């Protein structure tokens, strides 16, 4: 560890490099003042930041980012939410972290005062997008990690062990989202069948987390063999390429006709909800962690008759990121397998292009920031 703990060893400049959103699909590198941490906050020197499909959505369409109650364009807003770094300055009375601590971050700091935040559901904060009430969602409603420094509430920090690389640490929040999906399904998945639909980053790490928690069997469905092979490496007992076999038939076949107790839907495909319903057994549970872009027809009568529960999740609530880190720290799965490309901060537009066009089979593209 190069940083020194417990003293003011970090020279912090007044200005930093930061990418900001201009018009839709326009992102430019500029200089901003380095922000100052308030009470219960720290200044994080961003060392690495992963690109997420949601970043691409925000840069093109604005939503789900929201600045000042509206779209985030031309507001000097810095996106980027899957970052990690080093604590370089403490806000007043912060003693939970030391200077030099390596941390990875959760996206959402709830307001801490609304009913949902009090229940631990801070990703569904009722004061979402109201920073004056204490809410932050970095890269969504407050400045994010495509910059040299970022402010974080201490509740959003997770310690990174010394033997974990910066790149791997950027993936913890993705695993945390997968973990939260399993949490809302009830958490007790050891010995239960879990189907994950869609081998994107959340689906692939959903497989890994489900397996690490003892799910049996874990089945992954998708359309690309390379991704499905990766799913196998991350713990899937069975993979189904839906171009070759109907996924409902396949799940019934693999479970001797019984179906599974849990489905985590990470594909966003319009037909996924009805398929998930056919994959679970009576009383089964479905978590929706992705969404189609258009409204879809759902056979509600089937859900009612079969007592099927459906949950939605947004992000990484209930401290799931801490539990995901616990599994990764114990090397229960190798999240690094989904990291495919690295670029520097100056190369962000190229990094975004790799992620958007999946150039060279890109899955997780990470931007490294040397200091
Ligand atoms: Zn993300
Ligand atoms: Zn709240």
């Amino acid at each position: 560890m190069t940083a020194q703990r417990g003293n003011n060893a970090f020279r912090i400049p007044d200005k930093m490099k930061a990418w900001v959103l201009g018009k839709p699909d326009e992102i430019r590198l500029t200089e901003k003042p380095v922000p100052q941490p308030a009470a219960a906050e720290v200044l994080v020197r961003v060392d690495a930041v992963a690109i997420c499909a949601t970043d691409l959505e925000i840069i093109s369409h604005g939503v789900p980012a929201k600045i000042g109650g509206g779209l985030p364009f031309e507001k000097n807003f810095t996106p980027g939410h899957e970052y990690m770094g080093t604590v370089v300055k403490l806000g007043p009375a912060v003693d939970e972290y030391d200077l030099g601590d390596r941390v990875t971050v959760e996206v959402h700091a709830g307001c801490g005062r609304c009913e949902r935040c009090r229940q631990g559901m801070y990703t569904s904060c009722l004061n979402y997008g109201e920073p004056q009430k204490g809410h932050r969602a970095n890269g969504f409603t407050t400045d994010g990690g495509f910059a040299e420094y970022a402010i974080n509430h201490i509740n959003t920090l997770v310690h990174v062990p010394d033997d974990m690389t910066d790149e791997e640490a950027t993936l913890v929040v993705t695993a945390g989202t997968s973990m939260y999906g399993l949490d809302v399904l009830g958490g007790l998945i050891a010995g239960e069948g879990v189907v994950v639909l869609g081998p994107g980053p959340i689906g692939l790490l959903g497989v890994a987390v489900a397996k690490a928690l003892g799910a049996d069997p874990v089945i992954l469905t998708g359309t690309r063999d390379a991704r499905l092979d990766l799913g196998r490496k991350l713990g899937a007992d069975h993979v189904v390429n839906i171009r070759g076999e109907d996924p409902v038939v396949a799940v019934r076949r693999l479970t001797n006709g019984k179906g599974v107790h849990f489905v985590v839907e990470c594909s966003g495909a319009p037909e996924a909800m009805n398929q998930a319903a056919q994959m679970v057994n009576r009383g089964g549970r479905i978590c929706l962690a992705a969404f189609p872009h258009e409204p879809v027809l759902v056979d509600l009568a089937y859900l009612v008759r079969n007592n099927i529960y459906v949950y939605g999740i947004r992000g990484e609530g209930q401290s799931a990121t801490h539990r995901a880190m616990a599994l990764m720290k114990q090397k229960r799965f190798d999240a690094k397998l989904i990291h495919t490309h690295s670029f520097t901060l100056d190369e962000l537009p190229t990094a975004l292009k790799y992620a958007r066009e999946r150039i060279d089979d890109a899955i997780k593209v990470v931007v490294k920031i040397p200091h």
Side-chain angles (χ1 to χ4, degrees):
M1 180 163 292
T2 52
Q4 296 175 38
R5 287 168 187 270
N7 61 28
N8 258 312
F10 294 94
R11 206 188 62 75
I12 300 163
D14 297 331
K15 302 238 174 184
M16 64 177 187
K17 282 191 205 175
W19 288 89
V20 296
L21 205 46
K23 291 194 276 294
D25 281 319
E26 184 189 286
I27 185 155
R28 57 174 185 270
L29 187 58
T30 182
E31 260 193 354
K32 277 187 182 182
V34 173
Q36 296 301 314
E41 292 177 346
V42 303
L43 181 66
V44 174
R45 185 189 74 194
V46 181
D47 295 332
V49 49
I51 292 169
C52 171
T54 312
D55 293 319
L56 305 174
E57 288 281 319
I58 289 170
I59 291 166
S60 296
H61 309 291
V63 289
K66 195 166 109 177
I67 302 293
L71 291 175
F73 300 116
E74 303 288 8
K75 289 180 178 162
N76 206 35
F77 163 68
T78 298
H81 59 272
E82 298 183 359
Y83 59 93
M84 63 76 61
T86 306
V87 174
V88 292
K89 190 169 187 180
L90 307 175
V94 170
D95 60 5
E96 293 86 347
Y97 289 85
D98 275 328
L99 296 179
D101 282 358
R102 291 173 74 229
V103 291
T104 190
V105 305
E106 291 189 47
V107 181
H108 298 83
C111 70
R113 61 206 270 183
C114 77
E115 216 177 315
R116 290 288 175 257
C117 282
R118 298 281 291 159
Q119 294 168 322
M121 293 175 67
Y122 44 85
T123 60
S124 305
C125 174
L126 301 177
N127 291 315
Y128 200 96
E130 295 189 52
Q132 72 284 5
K133 285 200 159 186
H135 175 267
R136 299 184 64 92
N138 293 342
F140 289 85
T141 65
T142 43
D143 275 345
F146 293 148
E148 290 180 297
Y149 294 89
I151 292 293
N152 271 82
H153 193 282
I154 55 163
N155 286 351
T156 64
L157 304 177
V158 184
H159 274 120
V160 176
D162 289 346
D163 65 351
M164 184 180 283
T165 62
D166 293 354
E167 290 87 341
E168 185 174 4
T170 65
L171 305 174
V172 176
V173 71
T174 305
T177 303
S178 310
M179 173 72 89
Y180 187 40
L182 295 169
D183 284 351
V184 301
L185 291 177
L188 296 171
I189 64 168
E192 300 285 0
V194 174
V195 177
V196 176
L197 307 181
I202 294 174
L204 286 168
L205 294 188
V207 163
V209 172
K211 187 66 177 178
L213 295 176
D216 181 30
V218 177
I219 302 170
L220 174 66
T221 72
T223 57
R224 284 168 289 163
D225 285 328
R227 291 278 181 114
L228 294 171
D229 286 345
L230 208 46
R232 255 189 221 284
K233 293 195 181 101
L234 284 162
D237 298 297
H238 307 284
V239 298
V240 178
N241 190 322
I242 64 171
R243 294 200 197 284
E245 185 174 11
D246 179 284
V248 173
V249 173
V251 167
R252 293 274 158 189
R253 173 175 60 76
L254 292 166
T255 56
N256 298 321
K258 292 201 302 265
V260 293
H261 204 56
F262 301 114
V263 173
V264 186
E265 199 314 82
C266 304
S267 75
E271 64 281 10
M273 177 64 221
N274 287 322
Q275 289 176 343
Q278 300 284 335
M279 289 173 181
V280 292
N281 44 32
R282 264 183 224 118
R285 300 178 183 208
I286 298 166
C287 175
L288 304 176
F291 44 86
H293 287 280
E294 303 294 331
V296 298
L297 271 178
V298 175
D299 186 350
L300 290 179
Y302 187 85
L303 299 180
V304 176
R305 285 193 202 109
N306 290 283
N307 203 135
I308 292 166
Y309 300 90
V310 180
Y311 301 80
I313 58 156
R314 179 181 180 118
E316 73 299 342
Q318 301 280 10
S319 299
T321 302
H322 288 262
R323 290 191 291 287
M325 175 59 98
L327 295 179
M328 286 170 66
K329 192 172 154 185
Q330 296 169 61
K331 307 194 191 308
R332 302 286 292 279
F333 55 87
D334 188 4
K336 293 192 296 297
L337 290 171
I338 70 166
H339 166 227
T340 54
H341 295 79
S342 296
F343 293 94
T344 65
L345 186 62
D346 291 349
E347 297 170 323
L348 180 66
T350 312
L352 292 168
K353 185 178 161 70
Y354 266 68
R356 182 180 290 112
E357 297 171 19
R358 291 175 181 159
I359 295 173
D360 193 15
D361 281 333
I363 305 179
K364 271 296 185 191
V365 177
V366 175
V367 169
K368 282 276 283 176
I369 309 180
H371 291 276

